[in-house]
């Protein structure tokens, strides 16, 4: 919580002028509370009991004037609140957005960021404002009541102070438990946010697989957990009630019981009545506001802000490092490999098993590499690391001899082009869609590329370069073909196709992959069908435990797991057997152990598979 205190203190210091103005109007607001008991005592003792009702009414009129001043102070205090709260909220929102962007750039998917932006930031803002008003009100109201009590007599202040301090002490002892339960509430709130986002984004798969009951139970479990925490929070209301009874209500009977003693000390009936006014109109409301405000809004503020700060980046910082002013990043080494990974480890979450563990890989310029393996084994993760959209927890990734970590989007676009499974097409002209990776590309160059890829008919069917495209009007296969043509026009020397042809028929897929293989540059394909591996110059097999690199024929000889994958696709009796996906082979790394020297992708070994410049697969073992 020290960070919460530091950030809050810095925010208050930054709005010092507004806080001083708020304090001035707060003093005016509590003027009636400060004078109420004293003026009441004067009206009774010096006026009505002395047989001078005019004097008593005059004292009460003065109290009425103080009430008008207090109303003006209340009005101005709330008007000044926004000047203190809104800048704090804006700063916090910037921190959360930067943290979410930095986490996404680092490969840390975080669905709870939605809950932070839509719920927790506004919760902190509202509780911050409420806490300011509560603490301000307590300090000024209690201070006014104490001054009033001392103005009547010191013994009166002593009689009231003892139960008030006891109530405050009890509340302070219960605060740590309240903080712990509030922190638990924030945690389960984020878990519920993750569960809902996951269920909503995967609703099609849920419906298709008939898993409605399981997903409903999973999300319902998160809802139940949040309800349990809220019930535990509600039990703290009893502790708050005891604190209020002890510090707010007990002084009244104590004062009444002490009246004979106070009268013997020389206090008149008006002074006793004035003391009761200070207790019921000053001490009681101030303590009630503090206990309820801190127990409700204050705890939510501290715990929620602590959670936000742990996941955010400080204001004024950028999520990705930038080159110093006046400097430039080193250019690619022309003699370097097109792609190089050194001791790369990546996991989704700090406690998750690594998807890739200590992986080394080198691909020379002009190579055609296909990556194969069962669904969920890490192929797309590896593509994301190569492209720089994910960043490893350890190790380095270089494209063209330059590290991808820290590169700007423009620098990455100059080095590589990534086409994912779900191709991106935006509402706009065909020309704009095809040329945004190569601004200013002539229509003639687009036509030549379309002819090379066999997509001239598609462009004509869509209406030509000036045709307006709407993503919803295109099939998934049409979107993929447009994205592939866009990638062909890109100047980037490295092309990464992450199942970018999965919506196309095998013949079209073969034509497009062969065209990209013949294109100047380096091609990396995340395989969707067996036929991609047959066309490749090199094949990298991921099986969850090892990474084995060789030619198609070499892997057939060396790896039982690869033979099982290829056999699954090639021995089906359907006409589209060779076009089967690499998604459901009933083969596990434990059942089929590949042979030969390999690059381990899940054991932490330093062994590595490398593609040599001569096109032969080379290996070196490690301990």
């Amino acid at each position: 919580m020290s960070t919460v205190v530091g950030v809050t203190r810095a925010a208050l210091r930054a709005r010092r002028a507004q806080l001083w103005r708020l304090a001035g109007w707060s003093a005016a607001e509590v003027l009636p509370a400060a004078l109420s008991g004293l003026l009441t005592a004067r009206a009774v003792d010096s006026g009505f009991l002395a047989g001078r009702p005019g004097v008593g009414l005059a004292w009460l009129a003065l109290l009425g004037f103080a009430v008008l001043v207090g109303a003006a102070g209340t009005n101005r205090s709330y008007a000044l609140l926004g000047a203190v709260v809104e800048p704090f909220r804006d700063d916090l929102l910037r921190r959360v957005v930067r943290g979410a962007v930095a986490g996404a750039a680092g490969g840390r998917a975080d669905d709870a960021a939605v809950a932070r932006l839509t719920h927790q930031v506004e919760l902190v803002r509202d509780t911050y404002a409420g806490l300011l008003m509560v603490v301000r009100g307590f300090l000024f109201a209690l201070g006014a009541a104490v001054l009033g009590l001392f103005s009547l007599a010191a013994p009166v202040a002593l009689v009231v102070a003892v139960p008030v301090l006891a109530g405050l002490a009890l509340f302070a002892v219960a605060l740590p438990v309240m903080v712990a339960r509030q922190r638990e509430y924030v945690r389960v709130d984020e878990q519920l946010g993750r569960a809902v986002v996951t269920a909503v984004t995967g609703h099609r798969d849920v419906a298709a697989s008939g898993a409605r009951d399981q997903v409903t139970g999973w999300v319902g479990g998160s809802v139940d957990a949040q309800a349990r925490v809220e019930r535990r929070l509600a039990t703290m209301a009893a502790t708050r009630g005891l604190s209020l009874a002890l510090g707010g209500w007990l002084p009244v009977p104590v004062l009444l019981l002490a009246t004979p003693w106070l009268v013997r000390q020389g206090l008149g009936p008006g002074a006793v009545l004035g003391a009761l006014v200070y207790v019921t109109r000053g001490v009681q409301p101030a303590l009630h506001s503090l206990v309820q405000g801190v127990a409700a809004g204050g705890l939510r503020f501290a715990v929620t802000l602590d959670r936000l700060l742990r996941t955010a980046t400080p204001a004024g910082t950028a999520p990705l490092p930038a080159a110093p002013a006046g400097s430039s990043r080193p250019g690619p080494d022309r003699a370097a490999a097109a792609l190089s990974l050194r001791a790369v480890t990546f996991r989704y979450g700090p406690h998750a098993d690594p998807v890739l563990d200590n992986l080394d890989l080198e691909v020379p310029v002009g190579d055609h590499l296909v990556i194969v393996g069962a669904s969920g084994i890490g192929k797309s993760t590896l593509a994301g690391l190569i492209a720089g959209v994910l960043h490893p927890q350890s190790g380095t990734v270089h494209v063209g001899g330059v590290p991808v970590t820290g590169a700007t989007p423009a620098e990455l676009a100059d080095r590589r082009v990534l086409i994912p499974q779900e191709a991106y097409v935006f509402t706009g002209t065909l020309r704009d869609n095809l040329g945004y990776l190569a601004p200013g590309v002539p229509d003639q160059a687009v036509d030549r590329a379309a002819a090379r890829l066999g997509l001239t008919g598609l462009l004509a069917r869509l209406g030509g370069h000036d045709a307006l495209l709407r993503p919803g009007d295109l099939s998934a296969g049409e979107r993929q073909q447009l994205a592939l043509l866009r990638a062909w026009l890109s100047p980037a020397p490295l092309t990464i196709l992450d199942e970018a042809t999965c919506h196309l028929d095998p013949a079209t897929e073969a034509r497009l992959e062969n065209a990209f293989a013949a294109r100047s540059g380096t091609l990396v394909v995340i395989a969707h069908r067996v036929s991609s591996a047959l066309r490749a110059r090199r094949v990298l097999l991921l099986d969850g435990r090892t990474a084995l690199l060789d030619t198609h024929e070499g892997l057939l000889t060396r790896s039982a797991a690869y033979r099982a994958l290829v056999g699954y696709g090639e021995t089906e009796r359907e006409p589209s057997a060779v076009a089967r996906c690499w998604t459901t082979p009933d083969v596990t790394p434990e059942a089929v152990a590949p042979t030969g020297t390999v690059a381990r992708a899940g054991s932490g070994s330093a062994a590595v598979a490398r593609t040599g410049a001569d096109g032969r697969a080379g290996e070196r073992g490690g301990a």
Side-chain angles (χ1 to χ4, degrees):
M1 290 293 176
S2 58
T3 306
V4 171
V5 174
V7 169
T8 306
R9 188 177 298 161
L12 293 175
R13 278 200 304 265
R15 314 304 298 177
R16 201 171 301 158
Q18 290 81 359
L19 287 173
W20 278 114
R21 292 171 58 195
L22 181 61
W25 284 108
S26 298
E29 182 183 1
V30 299
L31 186 62
L35 298 178
S36 59
L38 181 62
L39 294 179
T40 300
R42 295 292 183 269
V44 172
D45 291 337
S46 303
F48 299 114
L49 289 181
R52 294 185 294 177
V55 174
L57 292 174
W59 285 113
L60 294 180
L62 185 59
L63 180 58
F65 176 76
V67 170
L68 294 177
V69 175
T74 301
N75 178 270
R76 293 303 305 159
S77 294
Y78 279 94
L80 285 168
L81 187 63
V84 178
V85 172
E86 291 307 317
F88 176 75
R89 182 255 188 191
D90 294 342
D91 172 72
L92 183 60
L93 191 61
R94 283 190 290 269
R95 290 171 180 263
V96 174
V97 171
R98 288 191 177 103
V101 172
R108 299 182 300 277
D110 187 6
D111 292 332
V114 177
R116 295 189 189 104
L117 287 172
T118 60
H119 176 58
Q120 294 182 18
V121 168
E122 294 306 316
L123 178 63
V124 168
R125 175 222 186 184
D126 294 341
T127 52
Y128 179 61
L131 198 59
L132 275 178
M133 298 306 286
V134 164
V135 173
R136 174 202 65 95
F138 173 76
L139 292 177
F140 281 89
L142 187 63
V146 170
L147 287 176
L149 288 169
F150 272 104
S151 69
L152 291 174
V156 177
L158 180 63
V159 167
V160 173
V162 173
V164 170
L165 291 176
L168 287 173
L170 177 62
F171 180 67
V173 170
L175 266 179
V177 179
M178 297 181 186
V179 170
R181 293 188 177 179
Q182 187 64 42
R183 183 182 292 114
E184 187 181 8
Y185 171 80
V186 173
R187 180 181 58 80
V188 299
D189 178 66
E190 289 193 357
Q191 288 178 348
L192 178 59
R194 291 190 185 98
V196 170
V197 169
T198 302
V200 171
T201 55
H203 71 280
R204 293 182 179 177
D205 292 335
V206 171
S209 61
R212 293 184 182 89
D213 293 339
Q214 296 92 320
V215 174
T216 300
W218 174 53
V219 177
S222 297
V223 174
D224 292 340
Q226 188 184 48
R228 286 193 297 271
V229 173
E230 289 191 351
R231 283 193 292 271
R232 285 195 288 268
L233 276 176
T235 60
M236 299 309 298
T239 304
R240 296 198 299 271
L242 184 59
S243 300
L244 287 174
L246 188 59
W249 292 103
L250 186 59
V252 175
V254 168
L255 191 59
L256 292 175
L257 292 173
T259 298
W261 177 76
L262 294 173
V263 171
R264 288 195 297 271
Q265 301 301 314
L267 269 69
V272 175
L273 181 60
L276 287 172
V277 170
Y278 278 126
V279 170
T280 58
R281 305 298 297 172
V283 174
Q284 244 179 34
L287 188 61
H288 184 275
S289 297
L290 178 72
V291 170
Q292 296 292 359
V294 171
L299 292 180
R300 285 199 298 270
F301 169 79
V303 174
T304 308
L305 180 58
D306 179 67
R307 178 59 179 162
L308 288 176
L309 293 175
R310 290 176 185 273
T311 56
T313 56
T317 61
L320 293 176
S327 68
S328 59
R329 295 184 184 272
D333 181 2
R334 296 185 183 278
L339 171 64
S340 177
L341 285 77
R342 290 288 177 266
V344 169
T345 296
F346 181 86
R347 52 170 52 87
Y348 289 99
H351 304 297
D353 291 334
V355 180
L356 299 172
D357 190 2
N358 207 31
L359 175 66
D360 288 0
L361 175 66
E362 189 167 318
V363 179
V365 174
D367 200 10
H368 177 188
L369 175 69
V370 168
I371 302 172
V372 301
S375 178
I377 209 68
K379 304 188 299 295
S380 291
T381 298
L382 180 55
L385 290 166
I386 295 170
V389 297
L390 299 176
H391 297 295
Q393 281 79 33
S394 62
T396 60
V397 180
H398 289 71
V399 173
V402 179
V404 298
T405 301
T408 66
E411 290 169 334
L412 288 174
D414 288 339
R415 302 178 205 166
R416 56 81 183 125
V417 56
L418 168 67
I419 304 299
Q421 181 176 358
E422 297 303 325
Y424 172 63
V425 175
F426 56 86
T427 299
T429 66
L430 179 61
R431 180 183 293 106
D432 292 339
N433 268 278
L434 295 178
Y436 87 86
L437 292 180
V441 60
D443 291 347
Q444 295 81 0
V446 174
D447 292 337
R448 287 194 296 271
R452 179 65 182 83
L453 296 177
L455 301 180
T456 302
L458 173 64
L459 269 56
R461 187 169 68 254
L462 293 176
H465 298 282
D466 294 317
L468 180 64
L469 298 186
R470 294 183 177 86
D473 297 336
L474 302 175
S475 68
E478 289 172 332
R479 290 195 297 271
Q480 284 191 332
Q481 292 177 82
L482 292 177
L484 289 164
L485 178 52
R486 177 197 300 149
W488 179 278
L489 294 168
S490 165
L494 173 63
T495 302
I496 308 163
L497 305 182
D498 184 6
E499 298 193 13
T501 58
C502 65
H503 296 299
L504 304 178
D505 61 85
T508 302
E509 178 186 68
R511 184 184 73 243
L512 292 170
E513 281 190 9
N514 286 330
F516 271 94
R519 176 177 178 264
S520 175
T522 306
L523 177 64
V524 175
V525 178
I526 306 301
H528 175 67
R529 297 184 175 98
V530 175
S531 52
S532 294
L534 303 179
R535 290 187 290 269
R537 189 160 173 254
R538 290 290 172 268
V539 180
L540 176 65
L541 170 66
L542 301 179
D543 71 357
R545 187 183 62 179
T546 58
L548 186 61
L549 181 66
D550 208 326
T551 62
H552 169 67
E553 292 77 9
L555 287 178
L556 286 176
T557 302
R558 298 172 55 191
S559 172
Y562 186 73
R563 289 194 297 272
L565 282 174
V566 173
Y568 178 82
E570 293 178 341
T571 58
E572 296 285 341
R573 296 297 181 230
E574 303 172 11
S576 58
V578 181
R580 299 287 294 184
C581 301
W582 301 85
T583 53
T584 54
D586 190 18
V587 179
T588 64
E590 294 76 13
V592 183
T595 60
T597 307
V598 297
R600 299 192 181 276
S603 64
S605 169
V608 28
R610 307 181 64 183
T611 2
D614 61 353
R616 297 291 299 170
E619 301 86 0
R620 60 179 175 85

